Structure formats: C-alpha cells, structure tokens
Amino acid sequence: MTWSQVAWVVIGLAAVLLLVLTWLVKPRRYALRHSAFAQRLSQSRTATLEQGRRQEVVLGHALWSRVYPGLGLSALASYTALLNAETLADGRQTVSASEGILVTFARQIIQGRYQAGFSEELLQDKVQPVVYGPTPFSFNGGLMADLKMQDYGTLVILGDFGPEAAISVKNIHDQRGEAFAATGSMASQAALFVNVDDLLLGEEAYLAPALLDPSPQAQAAALTEDLLRVGVILALVIGATLKAVGVL
C-alpha cells in the first residue's frame, strides 16, 4: 500500500466517522479538551458591548491554502458563533478579509442571521463586512489604519494569516483592547505567541468552531479528530514495536 492510498483511507475513515457521529450518535456533551479561550473571548466581547466599543473579526487571507487546507472554512464556521443577538442589535462589529470570497460568504452569514430573527428596518446599523486590501500587506495597512481611527475593544484573528498579525495586535493593545487568535499558519503563531495570551496553537485552530459553538455537529467533528489522532498514535506505536522485533 502506497502513502497516497493510506491518505485516502484516512480521509474515507474520517468521512465515515463524521457521518456516523453526526447523524447516529449525535454527541451532545462530549468533553472537549480544556481551553479557556471561548470563555475569555465571550467575557471580552460582553465588556466591549457594554463599553460601546467596536469589535473586529479578521477571517484571514485565503479561503483555501495548499499549505494549511481548511483554515478559511474553519474561520467561517467560527464566525457564525460570533453573531449572537446582542452583536447583531449593537451593529458595531466589523468582519474583514483580504480575499473577496471570504467577505462574500461572511455577508451571506450576516444577512441570514438578520433574516432569521431580526428586522433590518428596525436597525440603523449592521455588522459590516470589509475588504481593507486585496493583498496581505495592503490589507494589513488598511486594518492598522481602521484600528487607530476607531475605538476597538476586541480583535479576533481567524483563518490563514501571516506574521504581520502581530502589528494589528499591538494596535489593539495600544487602545487597551484584547486580542484573540486561532490561526494555523506557523509563522503567525510564532509571531503571536509572545503577544497574545489567548491563542489556539497547532491543530487547536481547527477546534475553534466547536469551542465557540458546541453544537452536536461541531462536537462530532471534534470527536472525529480525536479518534483519528488516537488511531494514528496507536498505529505508530504498533509499527515501531513490530519494526523493533523484526516483523517489519
């Protein structure tokens, strides 16, 4: 069996587990790995609303990346949990990305939430999707300018981002705001590690949707990830043991 075939087997097993857990088992109280990320983010967003300050949610630079696949989709899945009734009624949240397709999907999510439970005619302001720039550097320049001109209390960085995220974090800290990050880029994680207290590292970035919105579907995805991780660990241990005794 080639490595390509092994990869397809793992992908197929993940798909089967996800379908079985989502539609048959439906885990509702699966204990996720302990993380205070979601609790502290909720507290920061509540304080920001009470103080009348703005929120900024960054969805990254790309919907799909060959190096970090799925980060854009994970960011969009996490963003749905950041649109609660209070945020929609307040209208002082900005969601931004440097790729138009991410902002388009974010706009669809926002409009769907308004149609589901809010009348647009009763609200003067809406959550605003913005493209500060079409490239990572132009986007970061526009984001920096907006963070300096507006009074932001919470900055949430999701998706595929680079080390330039550290500059935006510095700007939000200068305003005595708080920054939260769930990015999968190793460069961005290294840059943010010393500047952001609430940072999801490594594969934890893909756990953000389940942490922010512990729905049965999100919990099934997290359980599938943990089962596959345990399976890979066991396979490595068994393979190493068989290699040591001369079977392989």
Side-chain angles (χ1 to χ4, degrees):
M1 181 177 287
T2 64
W3 286 112
S4 178
Q5 292 174 332
V6 172
W8 280 111
V9 169
V10 173
I11 293 174
L13 181 59
V16 171
L17 284 174
L18 191 58
L19 289 174
V20 170
L21 292 174
T22 302
W23 301 107
L24 298 180
V25 179
K26 295 183 180 180
R28 298 185 180 276
R29 294 186 178 180
Y30 171 62
L32 296 173
R33 293 184 294 278
H34 176 71
S35 175
F37 179 87
Q39 180 180 1
R40 284 200 281 261
L41 175 57
S42 177
Q43 293 173 350
S44 176
R45 297 179 69 231
T46 299
T48 299
L49 288 172
E50 293 176 347
Q51 296 167 6
R53 307 176 73 184
R54 299 188 61 84
Q55 302 178 41
E56 175 77 38
V57 181
V58 181
L59 299 180
H61 297 317
L63 176 64
W64 179 261
S65 169
R66 292 181 61 89
V67 182
Y68 303 102
L71 273 180
L73 294 174
S74 178
L76 288 173
S78 301
Y79 180 60
T80 59
L82 300 178
L83 284 176
N84 53 18
E86 292 80 6
T87 301
L88 289 172
D90 179 71
R92 281 192 288 261
Q93 184 190 91
T94 302
V95 55
S96 59
S98 61
E99 189 172 57
I101 188 65
L102 282 170
V103 176
T104 300
F105 281 133
R107 183 186 295 274
Q108 294 299 320
I109 294 172
I110 294 168
Q111 291 178 350
R113 286 299 183 94
Y114 273 104
Q115 293 171 0
F118 293 90
S119 172
E120 297 184 19
E121 297 179 356
L122 299 178
L123 299 175
Q124 297 181 354
D125 298 320
K126 291 181 61 174
V127 177
Q128 295 295 327
V130 178
V131 177
Y132 292 116
T135 64
F137 290 106
S138 62
F139 171 83
N140 196 63
L143 176 60
M144 289 169 53
D146 192 55
L147 289 176
K148 289 183 178 180
M149 290 187 297
Q150 304 287 343
D151 184 20
Y152 283 92
T154 302
L155 171 66
V156 185
I157 302 175
L158 305 170
D160 191 354
F161 222 81
E164 68 278 0
I167 303 177
S168 302
V169 170
K170 182 182 182 303
N171 288 335
I172 198 71
H173 285 167
D174 290 342
Q175 296 192 29
R176 296 182 179 179
E178 295 182 286
F180 300 82
T183 64
S185 167
M186 297 301 294
S188 64
Q189 290 183 10
L192 296 175
F193 183 75
V194 296
N195 299 313
V196 179
D197 294 331
D198 297 285
L199 173 65
L200 297 182
L201 294 172
E203 79 283 353
E204 289 183 344
Y206 295 95
L207 193 64
L211 291 175
L212 297 176
D213 182 20
S215 63
Q217 293 80 6
Q219 289 179 313
L223 181 56
T224 298
E225 180 183 343
D226 287 345
L227 289 175
L228 289 176
R229 181 182 292 106
V230 172
V232 171
I233 293 173
L234 291 176
L236 291 175
V237 172
I238 294 173
T241 302
L242 294 177
K243 185 71 173 181
V245 300
V247 176
L248 295 179

